[in-house]
Amino acid sequence: MVKAYLRYEFSAAFGVITSSANPTYDASGKLLFTASLENISVWNAKQGSLVRQLSPVVTSTSTGSGASGGGVAEVTVLCCAPGSATIAAGYSDGTVRLWDYLSGECSVTFRGHKTAVSCLRYNGGGSLLVSGGRDTDLVVWDVVGETGLYRLKGHKDQVTDVSFLPGQSKLVSCSKDGLVKVWDLDTQHCCQTLTGHKAEVWSLDVNPAGTRLATGSTDNEIRVFAAVEVTGGGGAPAAGGAAPGREDRDHIVLVAMGSVRRGAAAHERVAMLRFSGDGEWLGVQAAGKGLELFRVRDEDEARKKLKRRKRRRKEKVAKKAAGRATTGTTRTTEVTAAVMMTRTTQRQDWAYLLAVSKGAKIKAFCFAPPAVKLAAGVACRLVLSLSNNCIEILNVASETHSYDTASRIDLGGHRSDVRALSLSSDDSALLTASSAALKLWNPRTGSCLATMDSGYGLCVLFAPGNKFAVIGTKEGTLEVFDLGAATRVHVEEGAHGGAVWALAPLPNKTGFFSGAADKTVKLWHWSVVSLEGGSKSLRLAHVRTVPMADDVLAVRCSPDGKLLAVALLDATVKVYFADSMKFFLSLYGHKLPVLCMDISSDSSMLLTGSSDKNIKVWGLDFGDCHKSLFAHGDAVMSVAWVPGTHYAFSAGKDRLLKYWDLDRFELLLELPGHHGEVWCCGVSQFGDFVITGSHDRSIRRWERTAEPFFVEEERERRLESLFEADMETTAADRDAAAGAAGNDATGTAAATPAGRRTLEAVSAADAIIDALEAAALEMDRLRTADRERAEAAAAGRPPPQPLPPNALLAGLAPSAYVLKVVSGVRASELEQAVMMLPFADALRLLGYLPQWLQAGGPAVELTVRLAVLLVRLHQGQLVATAAARPVLLALQRRLRGAAQGLKDVVGFNLAAMSHLTRRAREREGVTEADVIVPAKRQLLGKGA
């Protein structure tokens, strides 16, 4: 009989405040966004409280991790849209998701990169989004149309940063290939390449006025370029940062203005640089623990600074000239001074203000937007994302040029790896230990209840009653904590002479065993002492020490209290009688040391996990090995039995949690989700959920559901998922090779199709083909019915019964049914789906377009887009196919009129909006010149 099991699914992740992506504000400055691995955390910037998390939801896969977060890629970059409640997130699998952070829903998913997305940027209006990836490509996305426009190819290494030039159809990108490229979005080609950098260019940014571009590389200088409009017509500008000739009238190019020397952190490469929202500040983040802040002087202040510099230089030259005997030396000195003045002109626009240094590495930063109201004396506000899972908000003083920490967001997570965890006896509390803190959690809600300073915790244990806890540290001490008061009440100094690797409670609740690297196992009993004031506290009483032959790595006591298993560094497991500590069994078989083990509830089986990537099941009656299973792709770090069963969980450095039936020795489920090594896991008393802790600082809960599954089906699903992943990778490589071949053929950096072939696009193409087949069969059925009706009328017979509606087509006409299926395809996947249609099906689809245009309505825009796609893709075959001529002629008669109707509607709406804007300005007494002239001056950069 086939056995069914209940599925475990990912339920929640908590403990991560910020991961690798940059923090960012919304336009109002009230909300702060940080990446928490695959989730986006939305914080109240003033209160430091978590508002919500934006979590991607995936369908059930072969791994059984069908809830949000299971196997989803990590967020690598964030960018908030201007003027809307949308935030764009790039992921490590190459996808870009657009989130509505008010509703918490993912509105659009773009798939265009093969590898991780490294940078994102919106244009000024928020209608275009550009993404750069580690696959060296830039993809421009239409946010309104929810589709990719084109792919820009030209860089030879990872694209590190990208930015639009405000008010212009230009895009600037930099890469690890040492190049800065300017792209013309109208012609979709690279119009300028800057080659002055000697190594990788890691970041760039354009000031809000669009007049200055700053780039950061591996050296100690920030290079500054001016965005200027040059006259002339035709031809691409010259490379290297020089202004082109007068032949190029319509291009905005970058002209080198000089460089600004960095300060204290100049010995480290630039990791990120950004202008503030008002353009007054420039932050330069180094790759280590430093961040430098520059103030951008306005035009008048820079001119005064330059005049003072010139005057001092002239005075110095005159003083030197007075002591010279020859005029030639004076002439040389004056020329040298003039050259030095030219080189330092740009430096007058930038003032080095201060250097920010932190104890942890700074991953990313952002400025508070101009809408944030700052306190008196505060010049600007910075948000730092630190590598220790912490967010710091800094205020920079305007007079003293110093900074102070306004607030920190750090209580909701550990500063380092979650190395050990323990569930209370009633599953109502969870303890986790890291290198410097012990945290108490509610495992159901994920809320942090208390944080206590501790040593480097390697193992943790609840005391009976769940009011106290003890941890074993790397220093060899045992620390006792009062969980109610959230304080450390006792430290057992010298408990062991080495790291305490394991704590094993006694089933009678009188004490516990501890095993350490000093080659001893010690027995401790709980002791209650009376303190001043009548209160009582918990202490430890040492009872017995048992020496071992090697370092002790794991200790477990059987639930019946009879046996004690000890894992040693020599890859063996010794079993003793718990009461007398007499030797009973020695278990050999692992090739590398056993790192973890657990004994089943009936005390009959021992499960061990080792550095050799295997788990072994042993019988405790005779010490025989029941089965050895290759479990993980790396060392097995934790194993745990499900109470009352012979099911077990194992966790390893390969980032996976696995579910096993150890009566049948079968793998039941693979549960991915962690983005780092899994160090520990714990199962609840009833087996209804599992908790895991990881190197990625996250704590994840996996809950048992009521959904049954079968082992054979899961095995088939795993094989299918491997096949589909391989197919998708092959298709992506094929598309990339085709794009590269086209690029090499032209010899220039140019644009290619934006999308990437995915399983969703393949499914959409199959759905369209099925709809066309069903519609063709329905049309044959209708024609047959019409012919029978005509024959009956000619013969004088009564007409046949009318045909019932086709249930397969949901009662719709064939044309309406095909339109419904095509409309259901996501806009971001439509182009790739149409590209995969065979020509015969594409011709059939083209035949429906005139009918959709004649019907009008909301299908006109979709029809126009499909017509352009199909004609562009199959132009050669359509010209050579005689059957396509009537279809194309019918489409030509209707297409231009329908498109012109849409343009008329948009034009009418734009004119109405302009009229309403003018009326509003007239009521406020503001003329058009008051608005347009300052804007043009700011855009063109007067005095640049």
Side-chain angles (χ1 to χ4, degrees), residues 140-196:
V140 181
W141 308 94
D142 181 359
V143 176
V144 180
E146 299 182 359
T147 184
L149 297 179
Y150 39 82
R151 182 188 305 270
L152 301 174
K153 288 179 170 289
H155 284 294
K156 302 300 181 184
D157 207 334
Q158 170 186 336
V159 179
T160 53
D161 212 346
V162 65
S163 180
F164 286 93
L165 286 177
Q168 306 294 332
S169 60
K170 297 291 187 296
L171 184 69
V172 186
S173 64
C174 62
S175 169
K176 288 175 68 175
D177 60 7
L179 302 178
V180 177
K181 289 182 177 289
V182 184
W183 304 86
D184 190 328
L185 301 184
D186 294 330
T187 62
Q188 302 172 16
H189 278 72
C190 175
C191 61
Q192 184 184 7
T193 300
L194 304 177
T195 58

Side-chain angles (χ1 to χ4, degrees), residues 715-877:
R715 189 177 294 116
E716 291 177 2
R717 285 187 180 185
R718 282 195 290 270
L719 293 175
E720 288 176 2
S721 66
L722 291 174
F723 173 75
E724 291 173 353
D726 182 67
M727 182 182 67
E728 187 170 336
T729 303
T730 304
D733 293 341
R734 183 170 58 249
D735 295 343
N743 224 28
D744 295 339
T746 59
T748 59
T752 57
R756 177 168 63 91
R757 189 174 302 180
T758 61
L759 295 178
E760 289 80 2
V762 174
S763 300
D766 291 340
I768 294 174
I769 293 174
D770 293 341
L772 292 172
E773 291 288 344
L777 293 176
E778 177 65 11
M779 292 178 67
D780 291 341
R781 191 172 75 106
L782 293 176
R783 281 193 292 267
T784 302
D786 290 341
R787 185 170 59 253
E788 291 176 353
R789 191 177 299 107
E791 292 174 354
R797 298 194 304 269
Q801 294 292 330
L803 290 176
N806 193 336
L808 295 177
L809 273 62
L812 299 174
S815 175
Y817 177 70
V818 175
L819 176 61
K820 178 183 177 182
V821 173
V822 175
S823 302
V825 179
R826 287 184 177 181
S828 56
E829 298 164 358
L830 183 60
E831 181 175 4
Q832 289 295 322
V834 171
M835 289 176 65
M836 286 183 280
L837 294 179
F839 176 70
D841 293 315
L843 185 58
R844 283 197 292 180
L845 180 60
L846 197 65
Y848 286 105
L849 301 188
Q851 303 177 41
W852 298 348
L853 290 175
Q854 188 174 4
V860 174
E861 184 176 355
L862 174 64
T863 306
V864 172
R865 184 182 174 196
L866 278 174
V868 173
L869 274 175
L870 291 170
V871 173
R872 176 169 59 86
L873 293 173
H874 304 286
Q875 181 179 4
Q877 287 177 289

Side-chain angles (χ1 to χ4, degrees), residues 17 36 71-72 163 227 276 284 302 345 364 435 534 544 584 673 703 874 923:
I17 298 171
S36 301
V72 180
S163 180
S276 60
V284 180
T345 299
S435 63
R544 187 173 183 179
F584 175 49
E703 289 191 354
H874 304 286
R923 286 196 299 269

